[in-house]
Amino acid sequence: MVYFMQLVVSSLALGAVYALTAIGYSMVYGVLELINFAHGTVFMVGAYLYFMIVTAAPAIPWFLAFLLAMAATGLVGVIYERLTVKPLRDAGMPKFAGLICLIGVSTVLQQLMFLVMGSATRQYPLFFEGKVFRIGNVNVNVTQMIIIGITALVLAILVFFVNRTKMGMSMRAVAQDQNAAQLMGMSVNSVIAMTFFIGSALACLSGIMSCMNFRGIDISVGSTMAIKAFTATVLGGIGNLWGAAVGAFIISFAEVMTAGYITSNLRDFSAFAILIVILLIKPDGLFSRKVQKKV
């Protein structure tokens, strides 16, 4: 039982990382109906930005370094959206043109980080290094609990933002119908820029916590995460924020339990097997909503 509870804690920490990344995917798709293939690379860029800040100025408190890295990564998201996606959208290009463009953005960002940081794996800075506390007979890593707590707080703030603020309501309106939202006086470009900012900031936070959880960083950290987070998004129902979060935790539990009780060689197999089974039953994902479009 103790071993099972420790696996549960590990599953929650891993699921928290997947959830933040998956929600970033889902937000962009919900507003633009466009899969952001640069998202995994932004995850890596954000993690490296935090690494650079903490390494260059170790006296900065960890939470301030979090905020600085998230803000800088959010600006990266806004900049590449303005330079690449927006011109294509203004020109009326089909969505697959934006998708291909974002693959190019991912490659450029990855090569830039390779030039700056190299390919070596580096030890990632942690706070509360090595500290654990006990819940009953279960040893819990403090860093994992902080990851879970931060994710819960961020998700609560995000739900409030989307449902209770003017910008959040504008994002939901643009997701329903861009033309109608524009006719109602909303700045669609500003809403899309904000969507990329939030999605990129969430990817940064996810990247930081993932690298802390695994205690290392290299140029390839975003590749695997992008696949797992996108899988979680599809599993929950792409475009549905809550669905993306639930899908993330389903995948993390499947991976950790498989690694813990069977073998770590099958952890990816179990996650994708669950995805295939669920999509055979519900092709649009667990929490997809049927939307009727006028023709």
Side-chain angles (χ1 to χ4, degrees):
M1 187 63 181
V2 173
Y3 181 63
F4 172 76
M5 292 306 299
Q6 289 178 332
L7 291 179
V8 168
V9 173
S10 297
S11 299
L12 290 173
L14 182 61
V17 173
Y18 287 170
L20 290 177
T21 314
I23 286 172
Y25 267 122
S26 202
M27 287 184 69
V28 172
Y29 185 87
V31 173
L32 285 176
E33 294 185 351
L34 179 67
I35 298 170
N36 184 5
F37 276 109
H39 199 63
T41 306
V42 173
F43 170 98
M44 176 268 295
V45 170
Y48 264 120
L49 287 175
Y50 176 82
F51 178 87
M52 294 176 189
I53 291 170
V54 172
T55 303
I60 294 180
W62 63 268
F63 58 87
L64 181 57
F66 265 54
L67 295 177
L68 289 173
M70 290 173 66
T73 310
L75 288 176
V76 169
V78 173
I79 290 169
Y80 78 72
E81 187 276 331
R82 290 286 164 156
L83 294 178
T84 60
V85 179
K86 184 178 180 294
L88 296 176
R89 188 172 66 251
D90 292 342
M93 298 293 288
K95 287 186 171 34
F96 76 82
L99 186 148
I100 294 171
C101 184
L102 287 170
I103 294 174
V105 169
S106 175
T107 303
V108 170
L109 288 176
Q110 190 163 25
Q111 292 302 311
L112 286 174
M113 291 306 300
F114 175 77
L115 290 173
V116 174
M117 302 303 298
S119 60
T121 300
R122 302 167 187 265
Q123 185 176 358
Y124 208 71
L126 304 177
F127 42 80
F128 306 110
E129 171 65 37
K131 292 187 178 179
V132 297
F133 64 93
R134 295 178 67 85
I135 301 178
N137 294 322
V138 180
N139 291 323
V140 180
N141 188 293
V142 173
T143 302
Q144 287 183 323
M145 294 306 298
I146 290 175
I147 289 172
I148 296 168
I150 289 176
T151 299
L153 177 62
V154 169
L155 291 179
I157 293 172
L158 187 62
V159 169
F160 177 82
F161 175 82
V162 171
N163 292 307
R164 299 294 181 182
T165 67
K166 184 176 179 180
M167 178 56 74
M169 288 185 283
S170 297
M171 290 170 67
R172 287 188 286 132
V174 172
Q176 288 290 324
D177 191 320
Q178 287 190 22
N179 293 328
Q182 195 163 17
L183 290 173
M184 293 297 292
M186 298 179 189
S187 174
V188 172
N189 287 330
S190 297
V191 171
I192 292 172
M194 179 58 72
T195 303
F196 271 84
F197 180 89
I198 295 174
S200 298
L202 291 177
C204 171
L205 181 60
S206 176
I208 295 169
M209 296 193 299
S210 176
C211 292
M212 286 185 174
N213 194 28
F214 294 107
R215 304 194 173 195
I217 185 172
D218 59 52
I219 204 72
S220 66
V221 292
S223 302
T224 302
M225 180 58 63
I227 296 172
K228 297 294 179 63
F230 183 66
T231 302
T233 305
V234 174
L235 177 62
I238 192 163
N240 186 308
L241 301 186
W242 280 112
V246 172
F249 284 105
I250 290 174
I251 287 178
S252 69
F253 269 82
E255 287 187 359
V256 173
M257 294 302 170
T258 300
Y261 286 109
I262 304 175
T263 172
S264 60
N265 294 329
L266 291 177
R267 63 183 299 163
D268 291 341
F269 171 82
S270 64
F272 290 111
I274 288 175
L275 173 68
I276 291 169
V277 170
I278 290 178
L279 292 184
L280 286 173
I281 300 170
K282 292 200 68 177
D284 295 324
L286 288 172
F287 301 97
S288 61
R289 290 177 292 182
K290 296 292 184 181
V291 179
Q292 293 183 350
K293 293 187 178 182
K294 295 180 180 180
V295 295

